[in-house]
Amino acid sequence: MTDGSRFDPFRALTQAGLCDTVQDYSGPFADLYDSLGGSYEDDIPYYLKQFPGGQSLLELGAGTGRLTVPLADAGNTVTALEPSEDMLTILKTKCAGQKRVKPELGSTSTMGYQEQFDAVIAPFNMIYHLHRPEERVELFQKSYAALKSGGKFFLHYFFPDESAGASERGRFLTLTKPDPADSRQVHMICNYMSFDPANRHNTVDSVHFAMSPDKTFEAFHQTFVEYHMPIPELKELMGAAGFQIVGLYGNFSETPLREVREREFVLAVGRKP
């Protein structure tokens, strides 16, 4: 729509009884995240290089264990903090019998660790979910408190170009991918994105369709908001929390951010003196 108003076909589908609305990362969305989002592996070799074993780690927004499992398998002790009970249930199932994983239900607002960890990791867009300024302040302050002296804080998130984000306004993006758990089942996700540069919020409406071999059809709709944190705010919050900024990179090869022309994401590393 040219007037900038939000076209909402997915809510219309819900109102017509053609799909269910899912809140947050619960119910069927937890399964979807695990089957599709869990396929992202670009950061795993980097973190395994940083933590080859024997270290105490805190992972914030651990999800269903995408990063937790390989870090624990390498010999690290991982406290996996996750606010979604359904996501944490999947993680617990994956880590059953793995004594080096400590699943905990909670978020940055509830954590109160003190000088316990060699490193704190906030991976894969965890920062997107902290919409209020005080939540982001809390993330850095509490992560700093949780670290031992000399410990490191790692944060990475996708950082799309603002002009590209604005151009996605009102545009439908689709992703079709077989379910890894059943190669015969097809998943299709349709996203409607709306980026608001004033508050740096990107609103995404998603509808998930699944068709199984027996023609059974499932659909659900979800709306979620991402906060795209600018680099100056990132630097300010890290410094205010007490971190020494070890590096700001544009990829997992640790190429300095300023040298990466087509930046896709930010990797920030801070150290507690």
Side-chain angles (χ1 to χ4, degrees), residues 132-171:
R132 301 193 305 273
E134 59 269 26
E135 292 178 314
R136 298 189 289 276
V137 170
E138 195 170 48
L139 165 67
F140 292 97
Q141 290 181 342
K142 290 192 172 184
S143 294
Y144 185 90
L147 286 167
K148 300 174 184 176
S149 179
K152 289 184 177 180
F153 172 75
F154 295 80
L155 168 71
H156 88 264
Y157 60 99
F158 287 95
F159 190 82
D161 181 85
E162 286 189 27
S163 60
S167 71
E168 298 296 341
R169 187 180 186 84
R171 179 181 174 189

Side-chain angles (χ1 to χ4, degrees), residues 9-21 207-210 217-221:
F10 302 146
R11 193 159 285 111
L13 286 172
T14 303
Q15 292 172 348
L18 298 177
C19 67
D20 296 325
T21 296
V207 66
H208 161 233
F209 300 97
F217 178 79
E218 176 191 20
F220 67 85
H221 160 251

Side-chain angles (χ1 to χ4, degrees), residues 5 22 34 38 41 85 103 109 121 129 149 151 156 171 183 195 205 207 216 229 233 272:
S5 60
V22 176
D34 190 52
E41 299 179 343
E85 191 169 356
S109 64
I121 306 172
H129 307 291
S149 179
H156 88 264
R171 179 181 174 189
S183 61
F195 181 71
D205 276 301
V207 66
T216 301
M229 184 169 62
E233 181 186 0
K272 180 175 182 177

Side-chain angles (χ1 to χ4, degrees), residues 82-103:
E82 169 55 43
S84 166
E85 191 169 356
D86 289 336
M87 300 273 272
L88 196 67
T89 296
I90 296 175
L91 185 151
K92 288 178 178 178
T93 300
K94 289 181 179 180
C95 299
Q98 172 57 274
K99 295 181 179 180
R100 286 189 292 270
V101 175
K102 301 177 181 178

